[in-house]
Amino acid sequence: MKIVVCGKGGCGKSTIVSFLAGQYARDGHRVLVVDTDESNARLNRILGMGAPKDLLGYFGGKKDVMEGFRKSREEKSENSICNWAIDEIPEGYISKKGNMNLVAIGKIHEAGEGCACPMGVLSKKFISGLNVFKNDIVIIDTEAGIEHFGRGIDGICDVIIMVIDPSYESLRLSDEVSRLSKKIDVPLYYILNKTDENTSAYLRRSVKEKDRIIAEFPQDSKILSAGLIGEEYKGSISGVSDISEKLSSSVA
Ligand SMILES: Nc1ncnc2c1ncn2[C@@H]1O[C@H](COP(=O)(O)OP(=O)(O)OP(=O)(O)O)[C@@H](O)[C@H]1O
Ligand SMILES: [Mg+2]
């Protein structure tokens, strides 16, 4: 199963990716987290893992990636690129911890180095080419907003999770994500995050398609502290095991 996690900036996408990845790994799944966010470079820390090398580097960097993909299109050999199972991903470009694996597509490292389009192209190639087995769970962390829809990432996934924090922007974005998910016919679920009693009630009143809400994580000072020092959150998280069950039944 391929799960893509999206939402507005800072709503808690990466944190929730780490919760889900931990849960699936504890349940005995082989988990691959794919970091497609070209700006934020601390997902490995949240997962308590070492940082893999940018996958973009395996293909020679930005310029070579675009050139390589152009050639393969001309030669109609697109499918031969990145056609890997999780255990075939080249060493150094994947970090491992128990059942958990992490791949990072590529980051912006220098001012003026050019846009993130090659990362978008590679993200789609990598995710669509992945050879996923029954016990594998692929969780894709995205950049803030909805560019991943434009890149075609959501359309190659089995389920979309949108994280909604208590903000007008998140509510507005949930309408847009709902519209887009219907167009590509991929199931969409919401996770409310960083709520308290009042904001929870407000969000639950305001979200249009309430049956999409599958979990809620209240504002928690220990999660915030872990985020502040850039560390894995090791406390227990109630409700996370229900999510995996709901997702499995929705795509079965
Ligand atoms: N339930 C929560 N309670 C308290 N703090 C939280 C909670 N969820 C996330 N945070 C904190 O909010 C901050 C942003 O979280 P995170 O990096 O996961 O968001 P993001 O959506 O991935 O951000 P970005 O758009 O920059 O990628 C972090 O400091 C994190 O620790
Ligand atoms: Mg993030």
Side-chain angles (χ1 to χ4, degrees):
M1 179 163 55
K2 295 175 185 171
I3 305 166
V4 57
V5 178
C6 68
K8 78 171 243 304
C11 64
K13 298 176 290 296
S14 301
T15 303
I16 286 171
V17 163
S18 75
F19 293 171
L20 281 176
Q23 182 65 44
Y24 277 115
R26 280 191 297 279
D27 288 348
H29 288 276
R30 180 168 66 168
V31 178
L32 173 65
V33 176
V34 184
D35 183 3
T36 67
D37 184 350
E38 60 278 342
S39 301
N40 209 331
R42 66 187 183 95
L43 182 59
N44 68 295
R45 293 188 59 105
I46 301 177
L47 292 164
M49 301 173 78
K53 287 192 276 187
D54 289 358
L55 190 64
L56 203 67
Y58 179 79
F59 294 97
K62 276 183 167 176
K63 242 180 100 197
D64 287 5
V65 160
M66 296 311 267
E67 182 58 17
F69 289 153
R70 191 188 59 76
K71 269 196 192 139
S72 73
R73 236 188 347 262
E74 278 170 11
E75 293 160 11
K76 299 201 182 345
S77 58
E78 275 184 278
N79 292 338
S80 62
I81 295 170
C82 300
N83 215 344
W84 294 313
I86 293 174
D87 54 8
E88 292 168 344
I89 295 167
E91 219 182 306
Y93 297 91
I94 182 165
S95 297
K96 295 172 191 272
K97 185 181 79 170
N99 287 346
M100 201 120 81
N101 301 275
L102 171 66
V103 164
I105 300 297
K107 303 286 172 192
I108 300 283
H109 295 287
E110 302 295 340
E113 69 165 66
C115 73
C117 294
M119 283 82 145
V121 173
L122 182 56
S123 293
K124 189 168 178 198
K125 294 272 180 201
F126 174 71
I127 295 161
S128 60
L130 256 184
N131 213 342
V132 176
F133 293 89
K134 206 163 172 258
N135 193 40
D136 293 342
I137 299 288
V138 180
I139 307 175
I140 297 135
D141 191 16
T142 59
E143 78 291 339
I146 52 171
E147 193 179 337
H148 44 92
F149 275 101
R151 289 173 169 179
I153 302 292
D154 303 74
I156 51 171
C157 291
D158 301 298
V159 62
I160 302 166
I161 290 184
M162 181 185 172
V163 180
I164 300 182
D165 69 355
S167 65
Y168 174 79
E169 179 62 12
S170 271
L171 282 171
R172 202 202 54 79
L173 196 62
S174 69
D175 293 338
E176 193 58 7
V177 169
S178 167
R179 186 183 70 78
L180 293 167
S181 72
K182 282 174 192 158
K183 279 211 155 167
I184 55 174
D185 200 22
V186 177
L188 166 68
Y189 293 100
Y190 299 141
I191 294 180
L192 308 184
N193 191 33
K194 303 191 187 186
T195 54
D196 63 17
E197 211 179 307
N198 292 330
T199 54
S200 170
Y202 186 86
L203 285 182
R204 284 180 181 273
R205 272 199 311 277
S206 309
V207 166
K208 284 198 187 121
E209 296 159 312
K210 298 176 198 345
D211 52 339
R212 295 192 191 277
I213 302 172
I214 53 165
E216 177 168 356
F217 299 112
Q219 176 73 26
D220 181 323
S221 59
K222 294 198 184 96
I223 299 176
L224 189 65
S225 299
L228 179 62
I229 51 177
E231 268 189 4
E232 182 187 7
Y233 174 71
K234 293 204 173 109
S236 67
I237 314 132
S238 80
V240 75
S241 58
D242 301 345
I243 303 175
S244 51
E245 282 168 29
K246 282 179 193 159
L247 294 187
S248 303
S249 58
S250 87
V251 299

